[in-house]
Amino acid sequence: MCAQDATMGKDAARAEWDNPMQFVLACVSYAVGLGNVWRFPYLCQMHGGGGFLIPYMLMLVLLGVPLFYMELAIGQKMRLGSIGAWRAISPYLGGVGMASVVTSMYLCLYYNVINAWSFWYLFHSFQSILPWAECPVNSNLTGPVEECERATPTQYFFYRETLDISGSIEENGGIHMGQALCLLLAWIIVYLFIIKGVKSTGKVVYFTATFPYLVLIIYLIRGVTLHGSINGVKYMFTPKMEQLAKPTTWINAATQIFFSLGLGFGSLIAFASYNQYNNNFEKQAIIVSMVNSGTSIFASIVTFSIYGFKATFNYESCLERVRLLLLNTFDLAEDTISLENVNHWIAELNRTHPEQFASLGGRLETCDLEAELDTAVEGTGLAFIVYSEAIKNMPVSQLWSVLYFIMLLLLGMGSMLGNVIAVITPLSDLKFISHYMSTKTLNGLVCLFCLLLGLGFTTRSGNYWFTMFNDYGATFSLLFIVLIEVITVCYIYGIKRFEKDVEDMLGHRLNCYWKIMLAGVSPILLIALFIFYIVNYIQGGTPTYQAWNKELGKSVVTEYPPYAQAFIGLLLASSVCCIPLTALYTYCKKRNLASGKRERTVSTVSA
Amino acid sequence: MISYVFWGSLALSGIKEGMLVWILFLLCQVGAPALAQDLCQRDAPNGYKVRISLKTALGEDAYEWNQSEMFFFQATMAFAMRRHFQMETYNVDNIILCVQTSRVSFWFVVTSPDNTTMLIPKADVEKAVRMSRHRINNAFLLSDRTLEFLGIYPTLAAPVNPDTPPWLIVFGVVIGAVCVGIIALLISSLLQKRRKEKGMTEDGQDEEDMQVKGVENGINLDGTYNRGFTDDDRFTKL
């Protein structure tokens, strides 16, 4: 009795959000991350512009919102992190929580490296000339460094000065001190944000959730007033309906919704576990999902107006170079050829001076605006190379650079908070850990551990390992985890029991939309996605990566060496196998307990 | 000088010899510029092509390129040669220009002041231009990019290397502020805990409050309650 009182007393002291707004902002801050800025615009462009919104919205309604709702319900009901919550739902499937924690741990390790890069770029923006605006001079002061000449200054700055990247994943180098310092700073700031648990996190999310929108609005105004931005926005929104017939479009829409909402990591369960019991999470689930998708669309308008500016700038620079070439070769007066009639003059000169024109040979470039717009990039390439190239051509580029990288930092930090809390909450719920150390010490140890392992990503081959983690660490295992989650809640725990719990918390029953989606549509869609991933992986052959070639000044496709492929397998297996292993362990323990109890009931007087 | 030759030859020899000398002299007059033109031509081995982009550099304020400007160029080049060789003998005539186009571009060669048929080698001309490049550019209100000597590449400015890279300074400021924040939070929570401990030992009222709170919040503890419920199921089954 006394023991139970003590545990009840301890749970009564579970931290809570100061108000429901903090919880909503925490979810928004977590869900709205870098993927909204650098993955959605790419998908939009690849899959037919405005037409992509149709599968995207459909998947949001069929897959995203119901699963989001389910995770919030579980967290709020069980008031425990993912390990404890899933163990409470079904003792055999406690491994689901463990798998979530392992996946979140992988994410924590590599995600903060992006924040380290953002810090590096941010600190380098405080110079009169942005360092990625022009090539540095070589040692005998005769011209720019060769590697920079073959590539572009922004690529050189990213691959050589920021990463000091080696030629392949096998060539390790030393740690890049600047990167290591920035990673240290990133982890110290994460620690500062979570130091007092939800009390400190709750105050931080007011800022990390709202400030990126302010920057996006400022960028939107700046973007649409730039010369040539309308080309990019028009290009993006012109729907190409034939793309909807391809299955990849639908699959990418589903995957994007899935990963953008951050399902399966355990962060949402952790956030919801700090809620009041009767918090109306139904309304909040819908709000957060809508805000997340709306932000994706808003961010892609900004991205495309900047794309349009960059493409127009490059196109006009190309025309200028052709104009100068013609003027110099044919010794015409400066004002005869202008940017508008360059093409007319090319035809004219070809007609009148064919031999001299032929001598131009390969030096005459073809300038094509469509080709410039077509260079779709995603991921770190978009954020750190394409965007910084566009920013360096804006007037007052230092200001725009600082604003942009602060926005990237806030988006990244907001998501990091969710990732770290997903690891810490289940650990602090474990009795033997919370008995021996306070939350502050636990938080500090987790941050220190992740920092030390994360230093591996700051080595010269670190970017290749980063890409490996990014592509394989969380994608496949998450699908599996969420599939098991949905099946567990609907069929093992029972949809009826779930319905009763929700009615207990909210005061009204689940309406049929939720029931149909959770029990029927979502599992089917998840199984389809899962099968597609496996088929794609098998058909893809040996996994490859993009290695930066110094001599050519561009990335080349290289195969992973055997030990790296084994490591990929380990990444995938380590999180997924938690589920069957824990089930097996629980089964064995129960069997031992059952046989032990039978022996004890003989000897004790009362049960 | 020409008239001396003429009268002198006329006086020395008869009219026939005078005619011969006069014809020779006329040929020389015609031939001298022809000889100079032979020295300066397109792709001359010891010459350089100059390209000027006035509209690019000055836009609306561009001046017109005419013969006077060409003369100015000759004077500037002569100055550059004087400066490099430290010889006061170079003159405007030693700079020969040809192949002018409307681009504005032209070729030039430099002849030696002692012997007008001998050209100064390319390497020396290059050294002279490099030495006075800044003065030449400024004379025409142009830059390295808009006044081009094709073949003479401008030396790029040496990179400015400050002692501490600027990014490190910003980094130092930020990390200092964050560490101060963390230490402040840790100390404040430590002080709060010590104050609470002192308060609790003074009266046991707080402990009772906590117990009451626990019972009042019993409704919220369905999490733990659920686990008890699941265990009960197991017992009844057995």
Side-chain angles (χ1 to χ4, degrees):
Chain A
M1 197 50 200
C2 292
Q4 192 146 31
D5 264 344
T7 32
M8 280 170 77
K10 202 170 162 67
D11 279 355
R14 186 180 184 81
E16 278 183 357
W17 301 106
D18 287 337
N19 51 55
M21 184 54 129
Q22 282 187 359
F23 168 66
V24 172
L25 287 178
C27 289
V28 165
S29 175
Y30 169 65
V32 172
L34 295 167
N36 300 65
V37 169
W38 72 33
R39 176 107 174 119
F40 182 79
Y42 168 77
L43 287 178
C44 222
Q45 184 179 16
M46 293 309 288
H47 297 293
F52 182 69
L53 292 178
I54 298 175
Y56 185 71
M57 285 300 169
L58 205 60
M59 289 298 167
L60 176 69
V61 166
L62 295 179
L63 194 65
V65 179
L67 290 175
F68 196 83
Y69 176 90
M70 180 189 78
E71 293 220 354
L72 291 189
I74 293 169
Q76 195 167 304
K77 176 76 190 168
M78 301 302 168
R79 311 199 91 225
L80 289 169
S82 47
I83 298 182
W86 289 104
R87 214 188 289 163
I89 288 181
S90 162
Y92 289 107
L93 288 171
V96 172
M98 206 100 59
S100 290
V101 171
V102 170
T103 316
S104 286
M105 178 61 95
Y106 290 150
L107 196 68
C108 280
L109 286 179
Y110 79 80
Y111 202 82
N112 227 5
V113 177
I114 306 175
N115 289 332
W117 295 338
S118 301
F119 270 121
W120 173 267
Y121 271 80
L122 175 67
F123 295 150
H124 277 85
S125 308
F126 291 97
Q127 289 175 21
S128 50
I129 306 178
L130 293 175
W132 55 86
E134 24 181 68
C135 283
V137 212
N138 62 15
S139 38
N140 22 359
L141 298 182
T142 49
V145 177
E146 300 90 52
E147 192 182 348
C148 194
E149 278 247 63
R150 289 181 218 118
T152 62
T154 37
Q155 281 181 318
Y156 177 79
F157 184 76
F158 183 63
Y159 287 113
R160 188 54 47 215
E161 299 201 15
T162 309
L163 301 174
D164 196 12
I165 206 164
S166 62
S168 74
I169 201 170
E170 286 125 346
E171 300 161 30
N172 296 319
I175 291 183
H176 187 297
M177 276 324 288
Q179 286 303 304
L181 285 175
C182 290
L183 186 65
L184 172 71
L185 177 64
W187 274 112
I188 290 181
I189 291 187
V190 168
Y191 182 60
L192 176 68
F193 287 169
I194 59 167
I195 195 169
K196 278 188 166 175
V198 274
K199 288 294 170 211
S200 53
T201 312
K203 297 194 178 42
V204 163
V205 292
Y206 280 116
F207 187 65
T208 59
T210 51
F211 194 75
Y213 286 101
L214 183 65
V215 178
L216 273 176
I217 291 175
I218 296 176
Y219 251 95
L220 181 69
I221 299 174
R222 170 76 274 206
V224 297
T225 53
L226 284 170
H227 168 65
S229 59
I230 198 72
N231 294 332
V233 180
K234 239 190 320 184
Y235 185 76
M236 172 191 155
F237 278 113
T238 327
K240 301 182 195 71
M241 286 303 190
E242 60 275 8
Q243 288 282 339
L244 289 183
K246 295 185 357 192
T248 353
T249 310
W250 296 84
I251 287 163
N252 279 342
T255 330
Q256 174 61 15
I257 285 282
F258 189 80
F259 292 125
S260 178
L261 286 174
L263 304 166
F265 284 105
S267 312
L268 296 171
I269 297 181
F271 280 152
S273 70
Y274 298 111
N275 271 345
Q276 298 266 353
Y277 189 71
N278 297 103
N279 179 47
N280 185 0
F281 64 90
E282 182 174 356
K283 200 171 59 165
Q284 290 166 345
I286 298 176
I287 291 175
V288 174
S289 316
M290 292 299 168
V291 166
N292 182 48
S293 299
T295 312
S296 291
I297 299 173
F298 183 50
S300 44
I301 300 178
V302 176
T303 304
F304 272 91
S305 58
I306 297 199
Y307 255 163
F309 164 71
K310 179 184 97 74
T312 311
F313 185 87
N314 285 350
Y315 172 68
E316 286 179 358
S317 304
C318 176
L319 283 179
E320 176 68 25
R321 285 194 299 273
V322 170
R323 172 179 162 267
L324 264 179
L325 182 66
L326 290 176
L327 284 179
N328 292 345
T329 319
F330 294 95
D331 282 320
L332 305 163
E334 271 178 286
D335 43 8
T336 41
I337 308 183
S338 71
L339 284 181
E340 285 82 36
N341 49 24
V342 168
N343 291 319
H344 161 77
W345 270 100
I346 291 178
E348 181 75 25
L349 288 168
N350 197 4
R351 199 172 48 84
T352 48
H353 301 86
E355 322 81 37
Q356 218 176 350
F357 195 83
S359 72
L360 280 175
R363 286 182 297 156
L364 190 68
E365 314 169 49
T366 36
C367 302
D368 186 1
L369 185 59
E370 281 276 328
E372 290 283 343
L373 284 170
D374 249 338
T375 53
V377 190
E378 58 160 338
T380 51
L382 171 62
F384 294 105
I385 298 178
V386 172
Y387 251 94
S388 35
E389 195 179 313
I391 288 174
K392 77 171 197 227
N393 296 323
M394 294 183 194
V396 200
S397 45
Q398 292 84 358
L399 169 70
W400 298 108
S401 178
V402 167
L403 263 182
Y404 173 67
F405 288 111
I406 287 183
M407 178 186 78
L408 278 193
L409 269 173
L410 286 172
L411 290 173
M413 280 298 176
S415 302
M416 241 350 251
L417 284 179
N419 296 334
V420 170
I421 287 183
V423 173
I424 287 178
T425 308
L427 286 181
S428 61
D429 288 336
L430 292 175
K431 295 282 181 303
F432 64 86
I433 289 186
S434 55
H435 185 69
Y436 285 116
M437 54 177 101
S438 68
T439 39
K440 289 194 195 57
T441 326
L442 175 65
N443 295 355
L445 281 178
V446 170
C447 290
L448 186 65
F449 178 71
C450 290
L451 168 66
L452 291 175
L453 285 186
L455 283 177
F457 293 109
T458 59
T459 57
R460 293 192 61 208
S461 57
N463 190 43
Y464 301 127
W465 292 99
F466 170 86
T467 317
M468 184 201 286
F469 268 75
N470 194 23
D471 290 340
Y472 300 102
T475 44
F476 181 79
S477 12
L478 271 188
L479 276 176
F480 186 67
I481 290 171
V482 177
L483 181 62
I484 302 286
E485 281 187 7
V486 157
I487 293 177
T488 309
V489 168
C490 294
Y491 299 105
I492 300 181
Y493 187 70
I495 192 87
K496 291 258 179 292
R497 245 166 112 186
F498 183 69
E499 217 178 331
K500 210 157 53 99
D501 289 337
V502 169
E503 193 182 346
D504 212 16
M505 285 193 283
L506 291 183
H508 60 261
R509 298 181 65 92
L510 268 184
N511 70 35
C512 44
Y513 161 71
W514 301 111
K515 276 193 277 197
I516 298 173
M517 292 303 153
L518 279 177
V521 179
S522 304
I524 295 175
L525 276 176
L526 281 173
I527 291 175
L529 270 183
F530 193 68
I531 294 176
F532 165 76
Y533 254 88
I534 298 181
V535 166
N536 210 23
Y537 186 73
I538 296 174
Q539 271 185 346
T542 335
T544 57
Y545 66 104
Q546 301 269 16
W548 176 256
N549 187 319
K550 222 166 113 143
E551 280 81 40
L552 295 176
K554 56 189 198 91
S555 302
V556 288
V557 176
T558 326
E559 276 186 5
Y560 277 116
Y563 69 87
Q565 290 179 38
F567 192 78
I568 293 177
L570 189 67
L571 270 182
L572 292 172
S574 56
S575 45
V576 163
C577 69
C578 285
I579 303 179
L581 284 180
T582 320
L584 198 65
Y585 172 74
T586 320
Y587 177 68
C588 292
K589 203 167 77 163
K590 289 220 164 148
R591 263 229 321 229
N592 287 345
L593 214 67
S595 52
K597 233 186 213 96
R598 250 181 269 126
E599 287 171 24
R600 270 195 287 123
T601 39
V602 172
S603 48
T604 50
V605 177
S606 60
Chain B
M1 199 176 93
I2 306 154
S3 39
Y4 288 144
V5 167
F6 174 59
W7 288 116
S9 58
L10 208 57
L12 280 170
S13 44
I15 295 178
K16 222 200 236 168
E17 282 83 4
M19 282 289 284
L20 212 66
V21 173
W22 172 234
I23 291 166
L24 264 170
F25 165 71
L26 278 173
L27 278 170
C28 276
Q29 279 295 79
V30 172
L35 199 62
Q37 281 305 98
D38 282 337
L39 289 172
C40 173
Q41 51 185 315
R42 182 190 287 273
D43 297 323
N46 279 320
Y48 277 105
K49 181 170 179 182
V50 176
R51 193 187 291 144
I52 295 182
S53 315
L54 283 171
K55 297 230 167 38
T56 317
L58 303 165
E60 293 287 309
D61 304 324
Y63 48 81
E64 194 202 323
W65 190 263
N66 50 28
Q67 287 302 108
S68 309
E69 302 288 343
M70 295 292 273
F71 178 78
F72 190 20
F73 182 80
Q74 286 174 305
T76 322
M77 280 310 300
F79 162 75
M81 299 303 291
R82 283 195 184 196
R83 204 157 160 247
H84 174 65
F85 285 107
Q86 314 244 311
M87 283 169 20
E88 309 267 306
T89 47
Y90 279 93
N91 220 320
V92 179
D93 301 326
N94 293 119
I95 316 292
I96 306 172
L97 308 172
C98 54
V99 197
Q100 278 190 67
T101 66
S102 53
R103 168 65 181 82
V104 172
S105 68
F106 49 85
W107 284 82
F108 76 94
V109 290
V110 185
T111 57
S112 163
D114 309 316
N115 182 356
T116 45
T117 50
M118 204 180 75
L119 292 179
I120 304 288
K122 211 164 168 168
D124 290 327
V125 176
E126 177 174 343
K127 285 196 205 112
V129 167
R130 271 190 197 279
M131 189 178 176
S132 309
R133 188 65 188 263
H134 188 60
R135 300 290 297 272
I136 301 173
N137 285 349
N138 278 354
F140 290 95
L141 306 175
L142 298 171
S143 69
D144 278 346
R145 214 170 48 87
T146 39
L147 170 58
E148 297 168 79
F149 287 84
L150 297 189
I152 303 179
Y153 299 107
T155 41
L156 301 158
V160 178
N161 271 333
D163 294 321
T164 23
W167 76 269
L168 211 54
I169 300 174
V170 188
F171 170 81
V173 168
V174 173
I175 203 170
V178 172
C179 287
V180 164
I182 290 183
I183 294 173
L185 274 176
L186 284 173
I187 291 180
S188 75
S189 62
L190 207 69
L191 286 174
Q192 230 175 24
K193 208 166 52 173
R194 221 169 272 166
R195 231 178 289 138
K196 220 196 317 192
E197 270 170 20
K198 238 196 288 179
M200 289 245 292
T201 46
E202 274 167 18
D203 49 1
Q205 189 80 3
D206 297 337
E207 277 203 60
E208 280 184 41
D209 277 343
M210 270 190 69
Q211 283 275 24
V212 173
K213 239 204 197 165
V215 172
E216 271 186 46
N217 282 356
I219 319 165
N220 289 359
L221 296 178
D222 275 16
T224 340
Y225 185 65
N226 254 355
R227 259 187 295 174
F229 188 65
T230 333
D231 283 340
D232 277 353
D233 268 346
R234 252 192 322 117
F235 273 123
T236 45
K237 274 201 193 117
L238 285 173

